[in-house]
Amino acid sequence: MRDQLQIELRIVPELESYLRAHTAEERADTEQSMRDNGLQAPIVYWRDGIIIDGHHRYHLCKKLGIPLRYKEVEVELNTLDEVKLWMRKNQLLRNGRIYTTGERRAERVAIFKMEVELGKDINQAVTELADATGVTRRT
C-alpha cells in the first residue's frame, strides 16, 4: 500500500452518479455510527486517488472532522468502464443495502449488460444472471 501522505482523494462526478442515493434514515444511521465509532471501513480508491467506494463516508469524514483512512482497490481495473462495473457489483452485494426484488433484478440486468459489453462470455453471463435472479437460463 502506498504512503497515505502521497494520495489526495478526489471524487469524479461521473462515478459518483453510479451511487444509489441513501435514504434519510440511512444517512442518519451512517452519520451516527461514524460519530460513535469513527471511520470503520477505509475509503477505496483507484488511480490517482479517485474514490470508487466510500463517497458517502468521505463526505461525512469531511463534515465531522474524522481522519480519513483509505486503500487502493485490490483488483486490477484498467478502464473507467471496468471501474463502473466494479462499483455496481460492490454496491449490489454490500450488506445492509435494502433493494426491492425489482430493483435488485434491474441492477443485475444492468451488470449483465456491462459485463457483456466489456467482453465477458455471453453464455457465462447469462448463467450467472439467471442464477442471481432466480430464473431459468431460457427466461
Side-chain angles (χ1 to χ4, degrees):
M1 187 161 69
R2 291 188 205 169
D3 181 359
Q4 293 212 355
L5 297 176
Q6 296 176 353
I7 302 298
E8 183 176 330
L9 295 179
R10 61 193 177 99
I11 290 177
V12 174
E14 181 180 357
L15 295 178
E16 193 171 33
S17 71
Y18 264 72
L19 302 176
R20 181 177 78 72
H22 279 178
T23 65
E25 183 179 350
E26 288 171 326
R27 276 192 304 278
D29 288 348
T30 301
E31 184 169 338
Q32 189 59 52
S33 174
M34 288 182 67
R35 283 181 190 280
D36 294 344
N37 306 306
L39 178 63
Q40 295 299 301
I43 309 297
V44 179
Y45 70 90
W46 180 58
R47 295 183 184 158
D48 303 321
I50 297 171
I51 296 173
I52 62 174
D53 180 47
H55 293 79
H56 299 299
R57 289 176 281 133
Y58 175 81
H59 289 300
L60 282 170
C61 282
K62 294 292 188 183
K63 174 183 174 181
L64 302 172
I66 294 172
L68 290 170
R69 289 189 6 256
Y70 45 88
K71 67 178 185 173
E72 191 166 13
V73 66
E74 296 174 353
V75 297
E76 185 175 338
L77 301 171
N78 298 305
T79 67
L80 200 55
D81 287 335
E82 289 176 0
V83 169
K84 290 174 183 177
L85 176 60
W86 183 90
M87 288 176 67
R88 287 191 100 139
K89 284 181 166 181
N90 190 53
Q91 280 197 47
L92 182 64
L93 301 174
R94 177 167 287 145
N95 293 332
R97 292 283 187 196
I98 300 170
Y99 291 92
T100 66
T101 301
E103 288 171 332
R104 185 172 295 279
R105 284 190 176 148
E107 194 59 24
R108 290 278 187 193
V109 169
I111 288 169
F112 166 80
K113 288 178 181 177
M114 291 175 80
E115 287 177 331
V116 171
E117 288 170 2
L118 288 171
K120 186 172 191 171
D121 176 72
I122 193 152
N123 289 317
Q124 180 184 356
V126 167
T127 298
E128 289 174 9
L129 177 62
D131 291 346
T133 56
V135 298
T136 66
R137 276 187 102 259
R138 283 186 66 173
T139 301

